Amino acid sequence: MSLTTEQRDFQEAIRDFCARESGTREQREAILDPDEEDQSAVLYKRLADLGWLGIAIPEEYGGSGGTYTEQTILFEELYRGLAPVKALGPTTTVAGCYKRFGSEEQKRDALGAIAQGSIMSISISEPGAGSDVAAIACSAKPVSGGWVLNGQKTWCSYAHRAERILLVARTSREEKRHAGLTIFEVPGSAEGLETRRISTLGGREVNDIYLTDCFVPAENVVGEVGRGFPQIMAGLDGERLVGAAVGIGMAQRALDDTIAYVKERKQFGTTIGSFQVLRHRIADLAIELECARLLTYEVAERLEKGPDPVTTRLTSMAKVKTSEIAKQVALEGMQMMGGYGYATEYEMASHVQHSLVLPIFAGTNEIQREIISGSLGLR
């Protein structure tokens, strides 16, 4: 992985920011929003003021005009630094959709708002439609001046805080199951839209969404009516890259904390980090993590040139590799720390909690393996 001088300076700036603003548990708890586990409006606003929330948004829409590589650096370092700004993930996915398919007016309005600190969310899954996107049943019926939405969505990250939600609904039934889907921009405060937070092992960042005769005007269609499925597919590489960057950031932090612990903890008259069994386990984790990092940054560079089948395969590989190494490092770190790794006063217990969902979110690893094997001609 070869970063430019400017990119390395950017990396160091984020590390310094996290150490200064949210480096201790006490600092993070002091700035968390009420009833939130991992989101701070104060810190989010500071990121906006620095221009980092719009890192991959073109300058003409209020962003910094950065690359996928800079975006990857940002996510890796924020998660390594435990910065409580988790809403940035779904917001970045929404930004990517607007960049590709939004009208000029939508781009100027939404992308500018994101760069300035607005939280946005994307809603695809339903109780009966997770990996099988073609099974989406939430309906959108045409009416005078727009559309009326009815149905239920689920697992929608930060919908309870979102200014806008990009929501996928069925506008027609076609012979091809994947046809007839459309992406709508739905205001978070829209009449007929209700969000209910779901309690999970990692917190309450995801939501059920209930739509009851929820009206959205015709200009709130993002992209083309009935072309929602290929539009969704076009954005998945970017979403998986974000997930991969999150994974390496989480894995690196868990590894950092493990190494710091074994250097200090003494048993049998010496630090446990001097025992070969632990040194070699940590070395193996470091090797796997570096492989995951190199793959992720290779994907970031390739995405700058546009999507292609090989890049899609590598993106799925990166998502699988980073999510599984993040989980492995956290679980092995807990084991090496013994009872202290299980105690909530240490961060390792939290690392385990948050890493467990990575192989599920942003497309399960089982689906990623289907994509990978299919791209190799195995059907």
Side-chain angles (χ1 to χ4, degrees):
M1 183 179 73
S2 179
L3 299 181
T4 66
T5 300
E6 291 77 11
Q7 288 168 341
R8 292 198 179 279
D9 288 345
F10 180 50
Q11 186 180 58
E12 287 299 324
I14 305 167
R15 287 181 189 174
D16 290 345
F17 175 87
C18 291
R20 183 176 65 253
E21 302 290 343
S22 58
T24 67
R25 179 178 293 187
E26 291 73 23
Q27 283 178 298
R28 294 191 293 275
E29 290 177 348
I31 59 175
L32 284 176
D33 297 349
D35 203 30
E36 294 284 1
E37 296 91 353
D38 290 296
Q39 184 63 25
S40 164
V42 171
L43 208 62
Y44 210 70
K45 178 63 168 60
R46 289 173 185 165
L47 292 176
D49 292 342
L50 289 165
W52 294 351
L53 295 186
I55 189 64
I57 293 175
E59 292 181 5
E60 60 264 35
Y61 301 119
S64 303
T67 66
Y68 281 111
T69 297
E70 278 102 47
Q71 177 184 290
T72 301
I73 292 169
L74 177 65
F75 274 97
E76 178 183 359
E77 294 303 329
L78 288 177
Y79 274 77
R80 183 182 185 179
L82 301 182
V85 287
K86 276 196 171 181
L88 182 56
T91 301
T92 299
T93 300
V94 168
C97 189
Y98 275 118
K99 283 198 296 181
R100 284 185 298 274
F101 303 110
S103 66
E104 191 63 23
E105 183 177 351
Q106 287 171 339
K107 290 177 183 179
R108 294 194 179 281
D109 187 26
L111 295 178
I114 288 171
Q116 293 170 22
S118 289
I119 293 171
M120 300 192 189
S121 187
I122 189 160
S123 181
I124 301 173
S125 296
E126 296 180 7
S131 298
D132 183 10
V133 175
I136 283 176
C138 179
S139 68
K141 303 295 184 184
V143 296
S144 177
W147 302 80
V148 171
L149 279 61
N150 283 282
Q152 181 183 349
K153 311 294 285 186
T154 194
W155 305 120
C156 186
S157 298
Y158 284 97
H160 63 289
R161 298 288 301 274
E163 176 186 301
R164 307 170 208 195
I165 302 167
L166 289 191
L167 188 145
V168 183
R170 182 163 294 285
T171 46
S172 64
R173 288 284 176 185
E174 307 289 344
E175 184 176 347
K176 293 183 178 179
R177 295 178 67 242
H178 294 92
L181 299 175
T182 303
I183 301 176
F184 294 91
E185 175 190 275
V186 183
S189 59
E191 185 176 350
L193 182 146
E194 178 189 359
T195 61
R196 296 180 191 171
R197 299 173 74 179
I198 302 171
S199 294
T200 71
L201 186 64
R204 296 196 303 153
E205 68 183 76
V206 292
N207 298 261
D208 283 318
I209 296 177
Y210 299 90
L211 299 151
T212 306
D213 295 332
C214 179
F215 174 80
V216 293
E219 59 267 26
N220 282 34
V221 170
V222 178
E224 299 179 48
V225 173
R227 295 277 298 165
F229 183 76
Q231 291 174 200
I232 295 166
M233 294 299 104
L236 291 183
D237 283 349
E239 181 184 23
R240 289 165 189 157
L241 176 62
V242 169
V246 167
I248 56 176
M250 291 175 64
Q252 187 64 62
R253 179 53 184 255
L255 187 62
D256 291 344
D257 288 355
T258 301
I259 292 171
Y261 180 85
V262 302
K263 284 182 176 179
E264 295 294 329
R265 173 68 169 169
K266 289 186 176 181
Q267 290 285 277
F268 307 106
T270 187
T271 58
I272 64 174
S274 67
F275 301 150
Q276 186 183 72
V277 65
L278 295 191
R279 294 204 316 269
H280 287 192
R281 286 172 73 179
I282 290 172
D284 287 341
L285 293 173
I287 291 167
E288 294 301 312
L289 175 54
E290 193 60 25
C291 290
R293 178 179 286 111
L294 291 170
L295 177 57
T296 298
Y297 279 89
E298 169 68 13
V299 166
E301 290 183 13
R302 291 182 68 102
L303 278 178
E304 288 299 327
K305 303 172 185 177
D308 64 69
V310 174
T311 299
T312 294
R313 179 170 69 228
L314 292 176
T315 305
S316 289
M317 289 178 174
K319 195 275 177 179
V320 170
K321 186 66 176 176
T322 57
S323 61
E324 294 188 351
I325 190 60
K327 183 174 71 171
Q328 183 184 358
V329 173
L331 287 170
E332 293 211 29
M334 175 177 281
Q335 181 68 26
M336 285 185 262
M337 288 178 65
Y340 293 106
Y342 193 63
T344 56
E345 68 177 286
Y346 288 84
E347 299 291 353
M348 195 59 66
S350 177
H351 298 336
V352 170
Q353 283 182 302
H354 289 98
S355 69
L356 293 178
V357 76
L358 293 182
I360 299 172
F361 275 7
T364 66
N365 284 5
E366 290 76 15
I367 290 295
Q368 304 311 314
R369 288 182 168 93
E370 281 292 294
I371 294 169
I372 295 163
S373 60
S375 74
L376 297 172
L378 302 174
R379 297 287 183 184

